[in-house]
């Protein structure tokens, strides 16, 4: 692992436009469950009931049940991997983070240029009276299992992307620009199975970027990567950050 760390740190230091792409595995060490794999959420919850727009409009409760498991079961906070990426961005070694995650942990760790392909829980809209809520405003209802608008509607929908919805256009455009330009793409904690998100690292590969994967299990695209770490993101990222910034603290 040592030699690989050294080589990847060197490639990252030399890269003009490094870009990071993260999935649920990035937040696993923060206590946020992943979706696939042994303990994945989709083994516990029916994804059709919990994450599809039409099912949410029918009955939002399975979605909120899954959300409690995803975000509320533990006091989720950024892990060492999130902080390492925020530091690399501050020191000028990161163009931006494209994330599939909705937990807001990159921003909580201090990252600024974060592109949330699947939105987040930050803001919610009542689909009936259009009232806008923020996450704190509905948290009690989520915990109690009765998310309801003051107008009585249960259709209080977070601004995140359900299956069956398209991605936020502006975010997708910005993320695509980053990916088109990048010369180093670091993919962290994603099974690369959900589109269009999973197409972004592939574009980087086809544009000739050097490719790094930090993912505990195989992905269908392992062959795209110059370097693969099977160790946890929360372990690898601080070691990389140390090697990159150790000699480069500005
Ligand atoms: N460090 C590195 N990799 C990890 C770690 C860790 N600590 N823990 C888990 N992993 C890996 C797993 O091996 C798995 O391959 O992270 C990956 C997580 O994959 P998924 O659970 O499929 O999550 P993700 O790729 O983000 O899913 C994409 O699917 O359900 C939708 O909208 C949801 O954004 C999500 C999308
Ligand atoms: Zn309302």
């Amino acid at each position: 692992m040592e030699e690989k760390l050294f080589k990847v740190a060197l490639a990252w230091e030399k890269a003009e436009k490094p870009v990071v792409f993260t999935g649920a595995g990035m937040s696993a060490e923060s206590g946020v469950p992943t979706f696939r794999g042994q303990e994945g959420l989709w083994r516990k919850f029916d994804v059709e009931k919990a994450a599809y727009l039409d099912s949410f409009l029918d009955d939002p409760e399975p979605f909120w049940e899954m959300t409690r498991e995803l975000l509320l079961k533990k006091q989720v906070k950024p892990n060492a991997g999130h902080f390492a990426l925020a530091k690399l961005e501050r020191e000028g070694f990161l163009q931006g983070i494209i994330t599939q995650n909705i937990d807001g942990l990159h921003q909580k760790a201090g990252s600024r240029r974060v592109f949330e392909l699947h939105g987040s829980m930050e803001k919610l809209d009542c689909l009936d009276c259009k009232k806008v809520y923020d996450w704190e405003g509905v948290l009690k209802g989520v915990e109690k299992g009765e998310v309801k608008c003051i107008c009585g509607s249960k259709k209080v929908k977070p601004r995140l992307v359900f299956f069956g919805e398209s991605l936020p256009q502006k975010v997708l455009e910005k993320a695509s620009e980053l990916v088109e330009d990048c010369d180093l793409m670091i993919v962290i904690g994603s099974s690369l199975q959900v589109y269009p998100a999973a197409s972004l690292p592939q574009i980087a590969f086809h544009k000739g970027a050097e490719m790094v994967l930090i993912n505990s299990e195989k992905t269908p695209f392992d062959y795209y990567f110059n370097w693969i770490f099977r160790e946890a993101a929360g372990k690898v990222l601080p070691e990389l950050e140390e090697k990159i910034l150790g000699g480069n603290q500005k």
Side-chain angles (χ1 to χ4, degrees):
M1 156 109 144
E2 195 46 34
E3 199 208 333
K4 202 171 15 174
L5 276 170
F6 184 75
K7 285 191 177 153
V8 170
L10 212 57
W12 199 327
E13 260 176 79
K14 276 194 338 226
E16 294 287 310
K17 301 195 167 181
V19 170
V20 158
F21 176 93
T22 63
M26 179 76 222
S27 301
E29 290 151 275
S30 298
V32 182
T34 58
F35 294 98
R36 295 168 188 84
Q38 293 315 319
E39 306 297 312
L41 274 185
W42 298 145
R43 288 184 189 249
K44 269 175 125 168
F45 295 93
D46 174 348
V47 63
E48 306 254 327
K49 289 208 178 76
Y52 277 73
L53 182 62
D54 48 356
S55 324
F56 177 83
L57 297 175
D58 254 3
D59 171 13
E61 193 33 41
F63 166 77
W64 291 118
E65 214 189 314
M66 186 272 293
T67 303
R68 275 190 288 278
E69 182 82 10
L70 184 74
L71 293 177
L72 298 186
K73 210 152 162 220
K74 299 192 183 78
Q75 178 55 23
V76 293
K77 23 190 213 303
N79 63 56
H82 292 104
F83 288 114
L85 291 178
K87 219 167 150 197
L88 284 163
E89 177 188 334
R90 266 197 307 280
E91 297 297 327
F93 288 93
L94 193 48
Q95 291 293 101
I97 298 176
I98 301 167
T99 188
Q100 302 171 91
N101 300 340
I102 57 164
D103 54 37
L105 291 179
H106 283 302
Q107 294 91 325
K108 283 208 180 97
S111 290
R112 294 272 162 276
R113 288 195 298 281
V114 182
F115 303 92
E116 295 173 309
L117 294 176
H118 294 160
S120 82
M121 285 291 186
E122 261 318 286
K123 291 269 177 233
L124 306 93
D125 303 284
C126 170
L127 302 185
D128 287 326
C129 75
K130 308 293 176 233
K131 182 172 166 40
V132 181
Y133 288 86
D134 56 30
W135 176 239
E136 278 59 43
V138 299
L139 195 49
K140 282 252 164 314
V142 179
E143 282 159 346
K144 277 195 301 202
E146 48 176 69
V147 181
K148 229 156 64 173
C149 176
I150 45 166
C151 77
S153 166
K154 291 182 84 172
K155 292 197 180 103
V156 179
K157 180 185 171 300
R159 289 181 192 170
L160 53 84
V161 180
F162 283 73
F163 283 107
E165 273 192 292
S166 57
L167 271 56
Q169 199 45 36
K170 281 210 177 44
V171 175
L172 189 54
E173 274 162 17
K174 188 66 195 130
S176 307
E177 267 168 45
L178 275 182
V179 160
E180 293 276 340
D181 277 354
C182 81
D183 53 357
L184 180 72
M185 165 56 74
I186 304 104
V187 173
I188 307 166
S190 181
S191 61
L192 295 176
Q193 292 181 39
V194 170
Y195 286 81
S199 56
L200 292 172
Q202 296 180 48
I203 294 168
F205 170 73
H206 292 299
K207 301 288 284 185
E210 284 196 293
M211 304 288 287
V212 181
L213 177 66
I214 304 173
N215 203 67
S216 32
E217 288 158 59
K218 279 180 149 331
T219 75
F221 300 99
D222 281 6
Y223 68 99
Y224 276 21
F225 292 91
N226 305 78
W227 298 283
I228 295 181
F229 294 91
R230 290 289 178 227
E231 293 78 10
K235 178 173 176 320
V236 176
L237 286 168
E239 289 180 357
L240 282 173
E241 179 251 307
E242 169 59 34
K243 288 193 182 323
I244 295 164
L245 297 187
N248 284 289
Q249 205 89 25
K250 283 183 186 144

